[in-house]
Amino acid sequence: MGRKSLYLLIGGILIAYYIYTPLSDNIEEPWRLMWINAHLKTIENLATFVELLGLHHIMDSLKVAWSFYEVPPTSDENVTVTETKFNNILVRVYVPKRKSEVLRRGLFYIHGGGWCMGSAAVNDYDLLSRWTADRLDAVVISTNYRLAPKYHFPIQFEDVYNALRWFLRKTVLAKYGVNPERIGISGDSAGGNLAAAVTQQLLDDPDVKIKLKIQALIYPALQPLDVDLPSYQENSNFLLLSKSLMVRFWSEYFTTDRSLEKAMLSRQHVPVESSHLFKFVNWSSLLPERFIKGHVYNNPNYGSSELAKKYPGFLDVRAAPLLADDKKLHSLPLTYVITCQYDPLRDDGLMYVTRLRNAGVQVTHNHVEDGFHGAFSILELKISHRLINQYIEWLKENL
């Protein structure tokens, strides 16, 4: 074997080693998923390296990378797409072109990205909104919000809430031909967090007379108190979203001070005076039995009150919707929740389903046994189309 052939063989082996990740047999299109993961992992590794050099914050680098996937607001043969501002927040509006004899449904969508990156203009979110508007014959509002690390909680929450309140004004609904009795909200990952949070907030807002009919939450992040749930343990190094990256996202949502991230990883960020909040996220009593099997619940380790005083957001129900009491949950609308087996955030969604049902809320829970974080929004994958079809069919029946 010549030296050139040997080098090529070694290079091929190294590339295969970098790309290959052992996956469960029920994962569809494993090599395509591994290739997508390798691409994203490379971007994350480069961003980490740039941060270690002190040149750029990792989230700013990832934000730049995501911006290359953005597309302009271009109308097509089925849907008119425009950009405008709702209360100074940039949104995309998707309106079906075909004539309607009745007022249309309205769906307010919030993109994911760990509160740090992404936008309504990202190609996959743009396509999702187009498909939803066309197939549901609905007006879809896909909102932006200011991002960390430049902006921290509650800015993201407030941006989304202010844009939603603007949309729910009678004059705005009339302008877009939306039926005020058929409005829903939806979001994935961090967007699911924001959707759940603003839906709770609306319940206490006397100025908003129009209420949401449904909420649809796609693998939502719902609490940062316990990041050692069974799903975090089982999927700590799974593709697309690792435990360490998710904890970094949570920490960046509140501060660039990495002492919070460190405390979260060691489970020492919650002070003893906030110990009562753990009853809302106690997975030993809130998870179905099959997700508990093989895991032992350990009582939390309490930290000093210093972090909570400096960054109280991580104990705020507007950032952690799972901390809402049962009285608040009882008044929430019809709910659809997607959880994925191979997702660190799986148990957040599972616990919310349990708590909502215990509070008397009607919930449709779609647990995806071969799913993983990102399965809904990475449109290159077959599983994404399957989940979107199920999602739209549920919206057709319930919105």
Side-chain angles (χ1 to χ4, degrees):
M1 180 183 290
R3 183 176 295 179
K4 186 176 181 181
S5 297
L6 179 62
Y7 289 160
L8 287 173
L9 176 62
I10 293 172
I13 291 171
L14 291 174
I15 291 171
Y17 178 78
Y18 182 76
I19 294 173
Y20 180 74
T21 302
L23 296 174
S24 176
D25 291 341
N26 68 336
I27 297 289
E28 192 176 16
E29 300 182 289
W31 279 104
R32 182 185 289 268
L33 175 58
M34 282 186 268
W35 179 257
I36 293 170
N37 179 69
H39 173 71
L40 297 176
K41 183 168 66 173
T42 300
I43 294 172
E44 182 186 341
N45 289 341
L46 288 172
T48 301
F49 180 66
V50 169
E51 183 177 57
L52 288 173
L53 293 177
L55 300 177
H56 215 213
H57 192 287
I58 183 174
M59 296 304 169
D60 286 329
S61 297
L62 293 176
K63 194 185 306 178
V64 170
W66 272 53
S67 69
F68 286 101
Y69 298 97
E70 294 182 347
V71 294
T74 306
S75 301
D76 58 32
E77 66 273 16
N78 298 316
V79 179
T80 299
V81 183
T82 57
E83 280 189 340
T84 186
K85 288 188 176 182
F86 283 3
N87 205 10
N88 294 318
I89 307 301
L90 185 66
V91 301
R92 284 201 177 188
V93 182
Y94 299 79
V95 180
K97 284 188 174 179
R98 60 182 177 273
K99 291 183 178 180
S100 177
E101 300 299 323
V102 297
L103 294 175
R104 287 189 164 100
R105 303 174 176 98
L107 184 70
F108 188 89
Y109 195 87
I110 310 161
H111 71 81
W115 307 279
C116 297
M117 53 194 182
S119 75
V122 170
N123 183 57
D124 286 350
Y125 286 121
D126 179 72
L127 285 173
L128 172 63
S129 296
R130 290 172 188 273
W131 295 346
T132 305
D134 182 41
R135 292 176 55 187
L136 195 61
D137 194 23
V139 174
V140 175
I141 307 297
S142 185
T143 190
N144 289 294
Y145 48 91
R146 286 172 287 178
L147 302 169
K150 184 176 182 180
Y151 302 99
H152 300 292
F153 175 84
I155 294 297
Q156 291 86 340
F157 170 88
E158 290 174 347
D159 282 358
V160 171
Y161 191 64
N162 288 333
L164 176 61
R165 289 179 88 247
W166 187 269
F167 178 51
L168 294 177
R169 295 170 62 180
K170 289 183 179 180
T171 53
V172 176
L173 296 178
K175 175 182 176 181
Y176 293 108
V178 174
N179 185 336
E181 296 181 356
R182 303 184 75 182
I183 300 171
I185 190 169
S186 185
D188 65 293
S189 193
N193 165 281
L194 292 164
V198 298
T199 301
Q200 291 182 7
Q201 185 77 6
L202 274 181
L203 299 176
D204 299 324
D205 193 331
D207 296 327
V208 180
K209 307 302 181 185
I210 296 170
K211 301 303 180 184
L212 299 175
K213 185 177 181 182
I214 63 97
Q215 60 174 342
L217 312 176
I218 296 100
Y219 36 71
L222 297 170
Q223 60 82 33
L225 273 71
D226 188 350
V227 291
D228 200 39
L229 305 170
S231 59
Y232 273 98
Q233 296 177 42
E234 294 169 12
N235 303 296
S236 61
N237 293 301
F238 199 78
L239 307 184
L240 306 180
L241 182 67
S242 65
K243 173 179 176 176
S244 60
L245 181 58
M246 188 61 229
V247 172
R248 182 73 188 269
F249 281 142
W250 269 120
S251 178
E252 293 291 339
Y253 189 24
F254 306 114
T255 176
T256 51
D257 179 358
R258 298 195 65 182
S259 64
L260 176 59
E261 176 193 4
K262 183 178 179 181
M264 290 177 70
L265 288 168
S266 61
R267 302 182 69 209
Q268 293 181 322
H269 58 299
V270 180
V272 67
E273 55 266 31
S274 299
S275 61
H276 63 284
L277 296 175
F278 278 101
K279 67 183 178 183
F280 297 125
V281 298
N282 185 334
W283 58 263
S284 67
S285 62
L286 293 172
L287 290 181
E289 181 60 34
R290 76 183 184 95
F291 297 101
I292 296 175
K293 192 173 293 185
H295 296 275
V296 177
Y297 183 79
N298 296 311
N299 291 323
N301 303 315
Y302 299 111
S304 72
S305 58
E306 182 180 350
L307 280 175
K309 289 178 180 176
K310 290 172 69 176
Y311 315 115
F314 69 84
L315 300 175
D316 192 315
V317 70
R318 295 173 299 167
L322 256 171
L323 300 184
D325 60 30
D326 291 345
K327 183 180 178 182
K328 172 66 69 66
L329 297 183
H330 176 73
S331 301
L332 289 172
L334 181 67
T335 300
Y336 181 76
V337 179
I338 292 178
T339 56
C340 292
Q341 181 66 20
Y342 306 107
D343 181 2
L345 297 178
R346 179 194 72 201
D347 294 348
D348 279 19
L350 290 173
M351 290 193 292
Y352 204 43
V353 167
T354 298
R355 292 205 54 218
L356 288 171
R357 285 175 172 166
N358 289 346
V361 178
Q362 186 178 342
V363 181
T364 298
H365 178 209
N366 181 7
H367 181 68
V368 187
E369 292 290 349
D370 60 342
F372 44 86
H373 199 84
F376 182 82
S377 57
I378 300 177
L379 303 185
E380 299 167 61
L381 298 170
K382 292 179 182 177
I383 189 174
S384 174
H385 294 260
R386 186 177 89 222
L387 297 185
I388 290 171
N389 287 338
Q390 294 168 352
Y391 166 81
I392 292 177
E393 286 305 310
W394 185 87
L395 290 174
K396 282 182 179 179
E397 294 177 9
N398 295 281
L399 180 57

